[in-house]
Amino acid sequence: MKTILLYFTLFYFATAATSLGQSLEEQLLGKWKLVHDEGMEAFLNSLFILQQPREEYNKIVAVTNRVLENSYMDFYSLDSMTSTVIDRKDIIQDKSVWNIGKADSVITYQIRFPPYTQQSKVLKINENELILVYISQKQNIPTLKSTYKKVESY
């Protein structure tokens, strides 16, 4: 039992030391799939959406699920990424240049459709999970979180 505990402790500290040695940029490298979005959830549960006729409501749910199933952030280099955006009815991967504020852990990148600068604050990151909150154009930080799971490492 003591041996198992010793191995577990050594593994834990070796893993922690590896992630502590990486910069936030290095931790972000990889492809992240959106698995839960509180903003989408709030939208689907809004009174406006819930009051839609059943057929319209089902279409909205189907589109929202399609967006969720196809949403990724892919930090494929220390300054280039793709993110999922909706261009009219198409779901596309939009290429951007990104950077991150070391003091505030805010990722900044450009969105083409519609053109604007997007900012997201990193709330949590580890080798498998990334939790972000998107910052509005007015610079207030919302409480709605987006959770991503890493699907590919670089």
Side-chain angles (χ1 to χ4, degrees):
M1 181 68 176
K2 288 182 182 180
T3 305
I4 293 172
L5 183 58
L6 176 64
Y7 285 129
F8 177 75
T9 303
L10 290 173
F11 175 76
Y12 174 78
F13 284 113
T15 304
T18 301
S19 64
L20 287 176
Q22 290 184 321
S23 68
L24 189 51
E25 291 94 339
E26 292 169 326
Q27 290 180 57
L28 283 167
L29 285 177
K31 187 172 187 177
W32 300 86
K33 182 180 186 331
L34 182 64
V35 293
H36 184 253
D37 188 281
E38 292 177 356
M40 286 185 195
E41 193 174 272
F43 170 73
L44 288 176
N45 291 317
S46 68
L47 190 56
F48 174 76
I49 298 302
L50 294 173
Q51 290 178 338
Q52 296 297 311
R54 180 58 47 194
E55 186 176 312
E56 191 63 28
Y57 174 80
N58 289 340
K59 286 180 187 177
I60 293 168
V61 169
V63 168
T64 304
N65 286 336
R66 191 169 139 242
V67 170
L68 182 62
E69 291 168 7
N70 294 290
S71 289
Y72 294 89
M73 293 185 86
D74 188 356
F75 299 92
Y76 59 87
S77 77
L78 290 175
D79 68 353
S80 299
M81 67 176 286
T82 60
S83 59
T84 304
V85 295
I86 300 173
D87 179 23
R88 296 176 197 92
K89 293 183 179 184
D90 295 325
I91 299 171
I92 63 170
Q93 297 302 308
D94 189 28
K95 291 184 179 180
S96 302
V97 172
W98 69 279
N99 62 57
I100 189 156
K102 299 210 185 305
D104 58 7
S105 301
V106 172
I107 304 167
T108 302
Y109 55 100
Q110 302 296 315
I111 299 287
R112 286 188 297 158
F113 305 108
Y116 67 95
T117 299
Q118 176 67 57
Q119 291 188 305
S120 308
K121 180 164 181 61
V122 176
L123 292 184
K124 176 183 176 183
I125 188 167
N126 60 41
E127 62 276 355
N128 299 313
E129 184 178 51
L130 170 64
I131 299 177
L132 302 174
V133 290
Y134 291 93
I135 301 173
S136 73
Q137 297 290 339
K138 296 177 184 176
Q139 298 301 310
N140 57 345
I141 297 178
T143 58
L144 300 175
K145 298 174 192 148
S146 297
T147 302
Y148 293 82
K149 294 292 180 193
K150 188 174 264 189
V151 294
E152 191 172 345
S153 296
Y154 305 129

